[in-house]
Amino acid sequence: MDMKLDPSRDDLPLLANTSHILVKHYVLDLDVDFESQVIEGTIVLFFEPGNRFEKEGSPTEETCPSEANEACKFRTPEPCHIPVTDTRTFSSKVGCHDFVICGKGEKDTSGKDGNHDNREQASGISSSKYCCDTGNPGSEDFLLVLDCCDLSVVKVEEVDVAAVPGIEKFTRSPKLRNQIVRELVALPADRWREQLDCYARCSQAPGCGELLFDTDTWSLQIRKTGAQTATDFPHAIRIRYRTKPQGRSVTWTSDQSGRYAGICGHMEYPCRFQNASATTQEIIPHRVFAPLCLQGACQETLLPLVPACLAAAHSILGTHPFSRLDVLIVPANFPSLGMASPHIIFLSQSTLPGRSHLCGTRLCHEIAHAWFGLALGARDWTEEWLSEGFATHLEDVFWARAQQLAPHEAQEQQELRAGLRWRRLQDEVQNSPQEMQVLRPNKEKTGHVSDSGSSVIKHGLNPEKVFMQVHYLKGYFLLRFLAQRLGDDTYFSFLRKFVHTYHGQLILSQDFLQMLLENIPEEKRLELSVENIFRDWLESSGIPQPLQRERQAGAECGLARQVSAEVAKWVRVNRRPRKRKRRETEEVFEELLPDQLVLLLEHLLEQKTLSPRTLQSLERTYRLPEQDAEVRHRWCELVVKHRHTGAYRDVERFLQEDQAMGIYLYGELMVSEDARQQCLARRCFELSREHMDRSSAQVVAEMLF
């Protein structure tokens, strides 16, 4: 494989040979040095060979020869120079000292009698580019290749798990290291506590011989002399490594308190779906972490929303996949409004200003990822709609339930949001390459890997991909289409069944669609088939035909009609001469919801001209600088389009404080060819550039220079 890839056109290689060997568990022990911006430490990996390469018969006696002399034939390990740490070094074992708000939640009893599914999807190992054999005895040494980028590997060694005190209590072969690991990973689910304890103790065992290793741009290759198959290869290894300050996976930034934001550790995770007490727990324990300067905003806006959104999610999907939730407010340069990980949600500080609407919907979106994206996920990374489409669809459902809206109010709100997303989808398909609008780009090859288990992520290195919403939007409209055809009761009843069946697994589109069609009555299928959905929704660019027909046939909802009436008033105001007749009556404007304000401003953006007087009145009427980031973004677009100099301060503030949403404002400032606007854009970029997300900074730099 050519390792000199062009990020603008090439796919991201995944070299894992998961057909030969799997990572069943890993243990991290890391230190973070904030001064050098380096994360350093070890990872211990526990392996299980693939079944197709398991040797028959009993294992042979193992020995532990020194391989120091052999190492130089493949690569001599670098000397391990560990920097001396001081009070500026944050260890993974140290707690977070930033501001924290705790929600009451409910007592978490999941750790007492829950089961733990240890058959988790494994991380990848890859085959050799040096033609070392990966499965056949009698040939060259087995080569283990791990996906790896922007890391400096210092040392790789086999772990002597046989040296762990008391290991003989649970294994039949205490002297055979590989046999110990085989029996450890094979422990039944009801022994998960014992298994986790053994993993932890084994990860602290001493090394018993360095392994040969080499690295390239995308992988780390490891071998042991004389180990010709995956079964012979050490089943527990320790890798000492350090990150690079310029690495693409870690971004360093200061929080508003002048310190660096730390990530707190999380408790062990048993399978809550098998825990009777967890199934009835509507609100899991939760906390909010934020800089001190955002304490008031979090207490006022965010913290009251968390229990309502958690309870809403539980009412729709049932058991929370994770036993607790921490919400971390991240700095302005975080490249999105939110991101979900097990036990923790990263939420942009841009969600806090204004009313609770943006904060609530984004929180609901990230909570939905606990089920779709974390408890279960896409087996092929190109099918990200299985995560983002579901989270986008469920965010509306959760948010309506969290607000305790009446059914007709919830429907009106969801119809309005569908209209907004329809406008965004139309804009996206008109302004993006067709090949990047396809939700299932690998088509019939989706989920396929090479004989070694390697694969690629379609468009994985294309910088445009980061800023596209097509997987969110088309996935959302597909799920909305299915829910409408089947009825909400049938659809969400199935969704709970699907989650219960597939949690802890990786899936493909057909897994979801086939189970859906098998679980609904014949009369509700209405000519739906997996093949038709693939053709119309997942494997074609542009807007799906069923969606076009629906939007053409549908009428505006009541909330959208109200916006249209308000737009007409503003058009009349804008046409009036500066000096009006005395008998002319003032327009009376209605109070609008945040989503209605967004739609109003989008309609006004379609007007050719708006006078400064109209823009000033618009700003005063709706107090636009005080609204949430979605509304303020549209306001900034109006300001830029009409060169409304009196509100340039709002654009400057947005570009610096709402970097997750302000990227395209830079482009609009430059396209205008107005010297003052271009100067504003360059000045804001220079102020933010040092701490801006790297991908965002690259895109903005291309716009400006």
Side-chain angles (χ1 to χ4, degrees):
M1 178 180 289
D2 180 11
M3 293 304 172
K4 294 182 180 179
L5 300 178
D6 180 358
S8 66
R9 63 176 178 82
D10 287 318
D11 299 326
L12 176 64
L14 296 180
L15 305 180
N17 63 333
T18 53
S19 298
H20 301 101
I21 192 168
L22 301 173
V23 175
K24 300 299 290 184
H25 192 81
Y26 64 88
V27 178
L28 283 169
D29 185 6
L30 301 176
D31 285 313
V32 183
D33 190 301
F34 293 113
E35 184 174 3
S36 65
Q37 296 190 349
V38 168
I39 300 174
E40 180 176 43
T42 63
I43 182 171
V44 177
L45 304 176
F46 297 89
F47 298 113
E48 178 184 57
N51 292 334
R52 56 189 281 202
F53 296 104
E54 288 283 1
K55 283 187 174 181
E56 295 182 3
S58 59
T60 58
E61 186 71 24
E62 298 183 56
T63 59
C64 187
S66 170
E67 299 180 11
N69 294 331
E70 291 288 334
C72 62
K73 297 179 182 178
F74 194 59
R75 175 175 177 179
T76 303
E78 300 175 14
C80 180
H81 300 296
I82 304 175
V84 177
T85 58
D86 56 21
T87 56
R88 290 165 292 187
T89 300
F90 177 85
S91 171
S92 59
K93 301 173 184 177
V94 177
C96 178
H97 296 291
D98 219 333
F99 165 67
V100 58
I101 313 171
C102 296
K104 293 181 180 179
E106 298 180 12
K107 185 178 181 181
D108 180 27
T109 58
S110 61
K112 295 180 179 179
D113 57 353
N115 295 327
H116 181 64
D117 186 356
N118 294 302
R119 295 169 294 177
E120 298 172 340
Q121 292 297 325
S123 301
I125 325 290
S126 69
S127 61
S128 168
K129 69 173 183 176
Y130 298 109
C131 302
C132 296
D133 190 78
T134 54
N136 299 320
S139 59
E140 298 184 48
D141 294 335
F142 173 78
L143 186 66
L144 166 69
V145 185
L146 299 165
D147 293 315
C148 172
C149 184
D150 290 341
L151 296 178
S152 295
V153 177
V154 178
K155 180 181 180 181
V156 182
E157 63 180 352
E158 183 175 0
V159 177
D160 189 6
V161 294
V164 174
I167 199 71
E168 67 278 357
K169 294 181 181 179
F170 91 103
T171 180
R172 294 168 294 176
S173 307
K175 295 183 179 180
L176 303 180
R177 288 186 296 276
N178 279 5
Q179 184 63 26
I180 290 173
V181 178
R182 277 197 290 268
E183 294 184 24
L184 176 57
V185 301
L187 282 177
D190 60 0
R191 296 179 65 184
W192 66 268
R193 286 186 182 278
E194 180 182 3
Q195 185 185 53
L196 284 177
D197 177 66
C198 288
Y199 277 135
R201 289 191 287 123
C202 287
S203 70
Q204 299 298 316
C208 60
E210 293 190 25
L211 302 178
L212 315 180
F213 71 91
D214 199 3
T215 59
D216 58 28
T217 305
W218 300 104
S219 65
L220 164 66
Q221 307 102 30
I222 306 169
R223 70 178 176 89
K224 178 180 179 179
T225 303
Q228 296 182 348
T229 68
T231 304
D232 298 330
F233 190 82
H235 287 15
I237 68 172
R238 179 182 292 110
I239 303 171
R240 174 169 288 278
Y241 68 96
R242 62 170 67 97
T243 63
K244 301 176 181 179
Q246 70 275 19
R248 285 164 282 183
S249 297
V250 181
T251 298
W252 296 85
T253 187
S254 298
D255 69 15
Q256 290 89 333
S257 301
R259 298 188 304 273
Y260 285 90
I263 300 175
C264 44
H266 298 292
M267 61 186 292
E268 60 192 31
Y269 174 54
C271 180
R272 290 170 52 81
F273 289 89
Q274 302 300 325
N275 184 340
S277 62
T279 60
T280 59
Q281 191 178 24
E282 294 184 1
I283 304 171
I284 55 177
H286 52 278
R287 302 178 295 180
V288 174
F289 292 82
L292 291 173
C293 60
L294 296 177
Q295 175 179 355
C298 287
Q299 288 179 324
E300 180 181 347
T301 303
L302 175 57
L303 192 61
L305 292 175
V306 179
C309 294
L310 288 172
H314 181 273
S315 70
I316 301 297
L317 293 181
T319 307
H320 286 283
F322 303 100
S323 58
R324 77 177 192 195
L325 175 65
D326 289 341
V327 182
L328 176 67
I329 302 300
V330 292
N333 66 338
F334 193 70
S336 68
L337 287 178
M339 185 177 72
S341 290
H343 294 290
I344 190 168
I345 286 173
F346 303 90
L347 206 61
S348 170
Q349 63 185 43
S350 295
T351 63
L352 296 176
R355 289 180 265 180
S356 62
H357 176 74
L358 179 59
C359 189
T361 54
R362 178 49 54 170
L363 181 62
C364 286
H365 183 100
E366 304 308 333
I367 287 174
H369 276 311
W371 286 269
F372 291 94
L374 297 176
L376 60 88
R379 180 149 60 91
D380 189 309
W381 283 60
T382 60
E383 290 201 303
E384 62 186 282
W385 82 271
L386 288 169
S387 173
E388 298 301 350
F390 275 94
T392 304
H393 186 232
L394 287 168
E395 88 178 48
D396 291 357
V397 180
F398 290 178
W399 181 232
R401 188 69 59 92
Q403 297 173 90
Q404 299 182 346
L405 298 180
H408 73 279
E409 292 177 311
Q411 183 177 0
E412 279 285 302
Q413 191 178 93
Q414 290 170 20
E415 288 291 338
L416 177 63
R417 291 176 67 77
L420 287 170
R421 292 189 179 113
W422 166 248
R423 296 171 66 89
R424 292 171 196 167
L425 180 59
Q426 287 180 301
D427 182 69
E428 179 132 317
V429 299
Q430 292 172 6
N431 295 284
S432 62
Q434 286 193 348
E435 65 271 14
M436 296 182 68
Q437 301 171 17
V438 180
L439 301 195
R440 195 170 178 260
N442 290 338
K443 298 186 178 180
E444 68 277 1
K445 294 183 179 180
T446 301
H448 289 193
V449 295
S450 69
D451 290 340
S452 70
S454 66
S455 62
V456 296
I457 302 176
K458 198 76 172 176
H459 310 302
L461 291 174
N462 192 320
E464 292 182 57
K465 182 72 163 51
V466 179
F467 301 99
M468 292 187 63
Q469 298 184 59
V470 66
H471 290 80
Y472 294 73
L473 298 173
K474 289 178 72 172
Y476 155 80
F477 278 114
L478 168 56
L479 296 171
R480 187 171 182 272
F481 165 78
L482 293 173
Q484 289 176 331
R485 294 287 292 270
L486 306 178
D488 282 350
D489 291 343
T490 299
Y491 176 76
F492 288 111
S493 175
F494 161 75
L495 210 56
R496 286 189 292 273
K497 182 178 180 180
F498 178 76
V499 168
H500 190 81
T501 301
Y502 278 99
H503 71 270
Q505 301 180 52
L506 300 178
I507 64 169
L508 299 174
S509 295
Q510 53 263 43
D511 297 321
F512 170 72
L513 296 173
Q514 287 170 355
M515 184 174 173
L516 174 68
L517 296 178
E518 290 169 0
N519 281 268
I520 60 176
E522 183 70 34
E523 64 271 14
K524 287 196 173 185
R525 295 184 188 177
L526 303 175
E527 300 181 356
L528 289 176
S529 68
V530 175
E531 293 73 23
N532 289 344
I533 295 172
F534 278 173
R535 181 196 65 214
D536 295 338
W537 291 90
L538 302 182
E539 296 182 353
S540 59
S541 59
I543 297 176
Q545 288 296 324
L547 177 57
Q548 290 190 38
R549 291 193 294 268
E550 175 203 326
R551 300 309 302 183
Q552 290 168 359
E556 277 191 326
C557 67
L559 293 177
R561 289 196 299 272
Q562 186 181 11
V563 171
S564 297
E566 298 302 296
V567 171
K569 295 177 186 178
W570 284 109
V571 171
R572 288 196 297 269
V573 167
N574 190 58
R575 289 174 179 170
R576 288 174 181 170
R578 191 172 185 84
K579 293 183 178 180
R580 294 182 290 110
K581 298 178 181 178
R582 289 185 179 180
R583 287 175 293 181
E584 202 168 30
T585 59
E586 291 279 351
E587 294 284 1
V588 178
F589 296 101
E590 301 290 335
E591 185 174 351
L592 299 179
L593 299 171
D595 280 336
Q596 288 181 296
L597 277 176
V598 170
L599 183 58
L600 172 79
L601 296 176
E602 288 187 358
H603 280 308
L604 292 178
L605 275 166
E606 297 167 1
Q607 296 295 311
K608 186 175 182 179
T609 59
L610 291 177
S611 69
R613 175 173 49 85
T614 300
L615 291 168
Q616 289 170 359
S617 179
L618 190 70
E619 178 182 356
R620 288 194 305 269
T621 299
Y622 301 115
R623 302 182 300 279
L624 293 176
E626 302 170 20
Q627 297 293 339
D628 67 37
E630 289 277 12
V631 176
R632 287 186 286 111
H633 184 266
R634 303 314 191 282
W635 167 236
C636 288
E637 289 183 284
L638 270 178
V639 170
V640 172
K641 177 178 179 178
H642 299 290
R643 302 181 184 182
H644 181 39
T645 58
Y648 278 3
R649 65 189 182 280
D650 295 334
V651 178
E652 293 186 43
R653 172 191 164 202
F654 196 90
L655 290 177
Q656 293 179 61
E657 297 181 7
D658 301 282
Q659 294 178 29
M661 302 178 64
I663 300 301
Y664 289 115
L665 274 181
Y666 282 103
E668 292 170 18
L669 286 165
M670 298 305 294
V671 168
S672 68
E673 297 185 356
D674 178 88
R676 184 170 177 181
Q677 289 191 358
Q678 291 182 346
C679 180
L680 186 155
R682 293 191 177 98
R683 182 172 67 254
C684 289
F685 183 56
E686 288 305 317
L687 290 172
S688 307
R689 186 175 196 167
E690 182 180 354
H691 293 292
M692 186 178 284
D693 169 72
R694 291 177 185 175
S695 296
S696 301
Q698 178 183 349
V699 172
V700 173
E702 291 173 356
M703 294 177 181
L704 302 187
F705 306 110

